[in-house]
Amino acid sequence: MNFHERAETNEQQAARQGDTVSQVETTEKLSDAPEAGNSLFALGGLAVAGIAMLGWICALAWIAWRLAGWLLS
C-alpha cells in the first residue's frame, strides 16, 4: 500500500465517522493549562544546560589549541 492509497483510506474513514469526531467543543473550560512557574523553571534549566554545554565546548577547544601548539612546537 503506497502513501496515496493510505491517504485515501484515511479520508474515507474520516468521512464514514462524520465530522463530530474531529470537532472540539469550544464551550469547555481549559482547566489543564500549564502554570507559568513550571515553564520558567524549565527555561531556567535549559539555560543552565546551555551554559554548561558552551563551557565544555570552550574547554575542549582550549585543550585542542594547546595540544596543537605543543605538537607543532
Side-chain angles (χ1 to χ4, degrees), residues 9 13 15 23 30 33 35 39 51-52 61 70:
T9 304
Q13 288 177 355
Q23 291 178 352
L30 297 175
E35 304 255 347
S39 298
I51 291 169
W70 178 71

Side-chain angles (χ1 to χ4, degrees), residues 30-47:
L30 297 175
S31 61
D32 295 334
E35 304 255 347
N38 292 339
S39 298
L40 290 176
F41 182 72
L43 188 60
L46 286 175

Side-chain angles (χ1 to χ4, degrees), residues 5-51:
E5 291 174 356
R6 180 174 286 190
E8 288 178 359
T9 304
N10 290 340
E11 289 173 2
Q12 290 170 354
Q13 288 177 355
R16 276 187 267 131
Q17 291 176 354
D19 294 335
T20 58
V21 175
S22 62
Q23 291 178 352
V24 176
E25 289 288 330
T26 57
T27 58
E28 295 178 9
K29 184 179 179 183
L30 297 175
S31 61
D32 295 334
E35 304 255 347
N38 292 339
S39 298
L40 290 176
F41 182 72
L43 188 60
L46 286 175
V48 169
I51 291 169

Side-chain angles (χ1 to χ4, degrees), residues 44-64:
L46 286 175
V48 169
I51 291 169
M53 182 182 65
L54 286 176
W56 274 106
I57 291 171
C58 290
L60 290 174
W62 180 79
I63 291 170

